[in-house]
Amino acid sequence: MTHRQFTTQVEATQSAFRRFLTALCCGDKELADDLAQEAYIRAYTAVTQPDNFRAWLYRTGYNLFLNYRRSEKTYCDSGVLLGCHAEQNADDTFRYQELYTALDSLPPKERMSVLLYYLEGYSTKEIAAITETSDEAVRQHLARGRRHLRELL
């Protein structure tokens, strides 16, 4: 992949990818930006570029998120969400707080499936490719995630 092709891929995926990571990180935009930057660096320095760049990028971002969560001494709790920064005004800070709190309580695989399906519009087969699981497993994660979110929201 040439530099120009890579730049085109980044421009095509950047907005949706950062939105996905922000939701995955429960509103922590700084962490989401760090993970996105690391994923793009890995993509740029990869020996061979993947055939499906977008799926590879999302899988890499998800794996980076899981690695980050595993490396934390203490896990983020919903109280951390109170310290998030608004970009426009104070009301924006709490706009999605209830949703982020509910998403934070989901197991990572359920959260990943729910976000990719509802936020990014991926099919269950595409999510299965990204998460390297079966289509049936993705459907189960979606069903469990919806049930958990219904209970929480």
Side-chain angles (χ1 to χ4, degrees):
M1 179 180 292
T2 67
H3 180 70
R4 182 178 296 264
Q5 290 171 323
F6 180 77
T7 302
T8 302
Q9 288 283 9
V10 169
E11 289 170 353
T13 58
Q14 185 173 19
S15 178
F17 186 55
R18 288 181 188 272
R19 183 177 59 240
F20 163 73
L21 287 174
T22 300
L24 190 64
C25 296
C26 297
D28 186 344
K29 290 183 181 191
E30 289 82 18
L31 175 58
D33 286 344
D34 289 346
L35 295 175
Q37 182 177 3
E38 180 64 26
Y40 283 120
I41 289 170
R42 287 185 182 195
Y44 188 75
T45 60
V47 175
T48 59
Q49 295 298 322
D51 292 333
N52 189 344
F53 181 83
R54 189 178 195 101
W56 181 90
L57 183 67
Y58 277 76
R59 183 173 44 250
T60 301
Y62 175 67
N63 288 335
L64 287 168
F65 169 75
L66 289 179
N67 290 340
Y68 170 79
R69 290 293 294 244
R70 284 185 202 117
S71 70
E72 285 186 305
K73 298 284 188 235
T74 58
Y75 287 97
C76 169
D77 65 353
S78 56
V80 172
L81 295 174
L82 297 175
C84 60
H85 303 286
E87 288 184 7
Q88 296 175 353
N89 61 46
D91 291 339
D92 287 343
T93 302
F94 302 103
R95 186 178 201 176
Y96 299 109
Q97 180 179 357
E98 186 177 3
L99 176 60
Y100 287 148
T101 302
L103 286 169
D104 190 39
S105 69
L106 294 180
K109 289 183 180 183
E110 287 179 21
R111 185 185 321 167
M112 173 79 159
S113 296
V114 166
L115 292 174
L116 286 175
Y117 188 79
Y118 290 106
L119 185 66
E120 298 302 324
Y122 281 100
S123 70
T124 56
K125 288 182 181 183
E126 291 170 319
I127 297 169
I130 291 170
T131 59
E132 298 178 329
T133 59
S134 69
D135 190 41
E136 181 60 31
V138 170
R139 282 192 236 122
Q140 288 177 1
H141 294 146
L142 283 170
R144 289 181 193 136
R146 282 190 296 264
R147 186 178 68 241
H148 289 138
L149 287 173
R150 251 191 312 273
E151 292 169 2
L152 296 167
L153 295 175

